Amino acid sequence: GENVEQHPSTLSVQEGDSAVIKCTYSDSASNYFPWYKQELGKGPQLIIDIRSNVGEKKDQRIAVTLNKTAKHFSLHITETQPEDSAVYFCAASSGDYKLSFGAGTTVTVRA
Amino acid sequence: EAGVTQFPSHSVIEKGQTVTLRCDPISGHDNLYWYRRVMGKEIKFLLHFVKESKQDESGMPNNRFLAERTGGTYSTLKVQPAELEDSGVYFCASSPSNLAGGRTKANEQFFGPGTRLTVL
């Protein structure tokens, strides 16, 4: 089955700096890569996703890049703000609906 | 529109007891999923319903876990008898069918807040 590795497990950044989270996947059939943000007491919420026919996607301060050859994808958050503090999960899917998640990255934005 | 809801939010039981978790998906969503996160590890897939049918239950740990979705609306996940290693956060998610169209992207899954299960 699919195996998704996520790094780092924790990330502390100064407000205004950038944060980068990296994930690798094992199944070359995976073609959908969502990123979820989980705030305290809430469930994971989709913040951005990318499909295998696209190399990069941006939505305001967040962007995701995908390298299918190397089987890795990354989340970039620019100009971080305190409300960006949360646990972030990457995931991969081959289109069969089942999501395979990474272990999560706890991001702390220091004011 | 109301999101995915789960009940209870927390459950503390003793080893050997039975617990039933409930999930109410977003109205009209045919797809319903159960996931579990144990001890700060990855969120792991348990199973997937399409309406009332089990589409994929490859992630169910063992036969102590039973999921149902009678009528294709809400779902329950029963653990009987519970073991210590069953402790974790159980998430439910739902998504519309790809044929539903509208603003929802294909594959996008909407998660509930989770049920934190502690087995003592």
Side-chain angles (χ1 to χ4, degrees):
Chain A
E2 175 67 276
N3 182 43
V4 178
E5 300 278 345
Q6 182 172 348
H7 300 280
S9 57
T10 61
L11 181 60
S12 179
V13 296
Q14 189 68 38
E15 182 177 358
D17 287 351
S18 295
V20 180
I21 303 170
K22 299 183 178 182
C23 290
T24 60
Y25 62 98
S26 61
D27 188 352
S28 56
S30 289
N31 56 11
Y32 174 64
F33 306 91
W35 285 87
Y36 283 82
K37 175 184 180 182
Q38 185 182 10
E39 296 175 298
L40 204 59
K42 299 183 179 180
Q45 181 179 12
L46 180 72
I47 55 172
I48 194 168
D49 56 11
I50 191 166
R51 297 182 188 276
S52 58
N53 57 346
V54 176
E56 185 173 354
K57 184 176 178 182
K58 190 173 180 180
D59 183 2
Q60 298 183 340
R61 295 185 298 106
I62 59 173
V64 59
T65 59
L66 170 65
N67 183 327
K68 282 215 75 181
T69 303
K71 294 199 191 75
H72 66 69
F73 55 115
S74 302
L75 177 73
H76 303 251
I77 307 172
T78 58
E79 300 171 25
T80 53
Q81 301 169 4
E83 54 265 36
D84 294 329
S85 295
V87 180
Y88 291 80
F89 293 95
C90 63
S93 171
S94 59
D96 60 354
Y97 290 86
K98 175 169 61 179
L99 293 175
S100 297
F101 285 88
T105 297
T106 301
V107 174
T108 303
V109 180
R110 306 186 307 271
Chain B
E1 137 183 301
V4 176
T5 57
Q6 293 186 244
F7 182 83
S9 56
H10 293 84
S11 180
V12 180
I13 61 173
E14 292 189 352
K15 175 183 172 180
Q17 289 186 322
T18 298
V19 63
T20 300
L21 314 181
R22 173 172 170 142
C23 167
D24 286 79
I26 293 173
S27 177
H29 280 193
D30 289 340
N31 296 287
L32 187 149
Y33 317 82
W34 284 98
Y35 292 87
R36 176 174 73 172
R37 190 181 191 210
V38 174
M39 289 288 290
K41 295 186 178 179
E42 72 272 23
I43 300 172
K44 279 198 166 182
F45 169 83
L46 296 179
L47 89 161
H48 170 208
F49 283 100
V50 177
K51 295 185 181 179
E52 67 276 8
S53 299
K54 291 177 185 174
Q55 184 76 14
D56 180 354
E57 50 184 328
S58 61
M60 294 288 264
N62 50 60
N63 59 10
R64 294 185 295 103
F65 289 74
L66 175 64
E68 295 180 320
R69 193 184 182 194
T70 307
T73 54
Y74 71 92
S75 174
T76 58
L77 179 64
K78 185 195 294 189
V79 185
Q80 178 182 32
E83 298 289 343
L84 299 178
E85 63 264 26
D86 300 333
S87 296
V89 181
Y90 290 77
F91 292 106
C92 175
S94 72
S95 69
S97 64
N98 279 339
L99 300 176
R103 295 184 298 113
T104 306
K105 308 168 200 177
N107 300 98
E108 179 176 1
Q109 297 183 18
F110 298 82
F111 280 75
T115 293
R116 181 174 294 278
L117 174 65
T118 302
V119 183
L120 302 175

